[in-house]
Amino acid sequence: MRRLTLIAAIACCSMLSAQNNPGRVQEQGGPVNPVFDKYTQPDVSFDVYFTTAGSKAAAPDEKGFIRRWALLEPIAKPEIRSNTIFTDSYLKEELNKEYFENQFTVVPKDGDQAVLSNNTTLKWHWVDSKRFNVKLYRFASGLKLRPTEALFLAVTVINAPKDMTVRLSAGSNSASMWWVNGSQVLLLSGDRRMVADDGVSKAITLKKGRNIVRGAIINGPGMSDFCVRFLDMDGKPVTNLKVSNK
């Protein structure tokens, strides 16, 4: 009886503690952890997901996924309340909008700045993702920037050994648009989760030498990431490419 009374007293004290500390949550079987503030540094550090890209060209991974990208710090879109607004017409207007000069032609260096039309200054970061999917939420929150309700821009340089007929394959959370050498090749619309090969372009040509790939990924509440690779005409990953930052 005394043991049951003691257990009840402990449970009562725990409930009162939780009520007096609404900013803390109790995980079953684990310690008390502070509630994550989405605009501050997450528990997992930035370098768990990324390294700074080096000057030596990289290769796609064994499954063809491109991991080296220049990522612009996110353009805040606080007006996005739900991903259901990502219709084709909305995306074509928003993702083709020029937010800063040379947006659709620049191949930035690490640390270059982009000045938006509202005078906000954002920085480019060349990174190598440690995963096949580029974790945009972790990229932004790791820099203590807004990771949600945001537009992310990505650029990379693909060097092909010869002219190659391929398809660009992408997945994104949420919507995204993709360009190769200045031409739009793929649009992923709607509220979607990131799935590899979620969308595949029509046949395009990677020319021998330097090719520029651009992406615009937009997301409302929740996590955001993307993955990109090229597939040959048999649907097999293209791995004999070089990925550089210039």
Side-chain angles (χ1 to χ4, degrees):
M1 180 64 71
R2 288 183 179 179
R3 184 179 180 183
L4 292 175
T5 302
L6 179 60
I7 292 172
I10 293 172
C12 181
C13 290
S14 297
M15 291 175 63
L16 289 173
S17 176
Q19 291 171 358
N20 293 329
N21 295 277
R24 300 174 71 82
V25 293
Q26 176 72 48
E27 294 182 349
Q28 184 176 4
V32 174
N33 296 316
V35 175
F36 174 61
D37 179 352
K38 67 180 179 179
Y39 303 117
T40 61
Q41 179 78 19
D43 295 335
V44 181
S45 64
F46 178 88
D47 58 13
V48 169
Y49 295 93
F50 301 99
T51 58
T52 300
S55 58
K56 184 179 179 180
D61 67 19
E62 66 278 5
K63 294 185 178 180
F65 290 104
I66 298 166
R67 299 192 180 198
R68 175 167 293 182
W69 294 90
L71 302 177
L72 184 66
E73 293 171 351
I75 299 172
K77 288 286 188 179
E79 69 275 11
I80 300 175
R81 302 300 182 186
S82 169
N83 292 344
T84 58
I85 70 171
F86 296 148
T87 61
D88 286 11
S89 58
Y90 173 90
L91 295 171
K92 287 176 181 177
E93 179 179 352
E94 288 297 312
L95 302 187
N96 281 303
K97 186 182 296 183
E98 188 173 48
Y99 291 90
F100 56 90
E101 188 177 2
N102 299 325
Q103 174 181 328
F104 295 100
T105 57
V106 66
V107 178
K109 296 179 181 178
D110 187 61
D112 279 358
Q113 295 182 337
V115 181
L116 307 189
S117 55
N118 63 3
N119 292 322
T120 300
T121 299
L122 303 177
K123 185 182 293 186
W124 287 96
H125 301 263
W126 272 99
V127 298
D128 287 331
S129 174
K130 293 185 178 182
R131 291 163 170 75
F132 80 97
N133 55 326
V134 181
K135 299 277 195 176
L136 296 172
Y137 184 99
R138 298 299 185 186
F139 166 75
S141 60
L143 297 173
K144 297 186 178 181
L145 299 170
R146 186 186 190 101
T148 61
E149 296 89 35
L151 169 64
F152 294 87
L153 301 182
V155 182
T156 197
V157 180
I158 303 296
N159 289 281
K162 59 182 179 179
D163 286 353
M164 308 172 73
T165 302
V166 297
R167 300 181 191 274
L168 182 140
S169 173
S172 64
N173 184 348
S174 187
S176 63
M177 184 180 288
W178 300 92
W179 296 262
V180 175
N181 294 329
S183 297
Q184 181 191 325
V185 298
L186 185 62
L187 175 65
L188 299 178
S189 58
D191 183 12
R192 61 178 69 220
R193 294 182 180 274
M194 201 290 299
V195 178
D197 306 326
D198 193 24
V200 180
S201 76
K202 64 180 181 181
I204 60 175
T205 299
L206 283 180
K207 61 185 180 181
K208 180 180 179 179
R210 189 171 182 259
N211 299 266
I212 309 300
V213 179
R214 299 182 189 277
I217 304 93
I218 192 167
N219 195 46
M223 294 289 187
S224 182
D225 61 341
F226 72 88
C227 65
V228 171
R229 62 179 172 177
F230 288 100
L231 304 176
D232 65 20
M233 291 299 96
D234 295 322
K236 297 179 180 178
V238 179
T239 59
N240 62 332
L241 303 170
K242 295 295 183 183
V243 190
S244 71
N245 50 11
K246 57 185 177 179

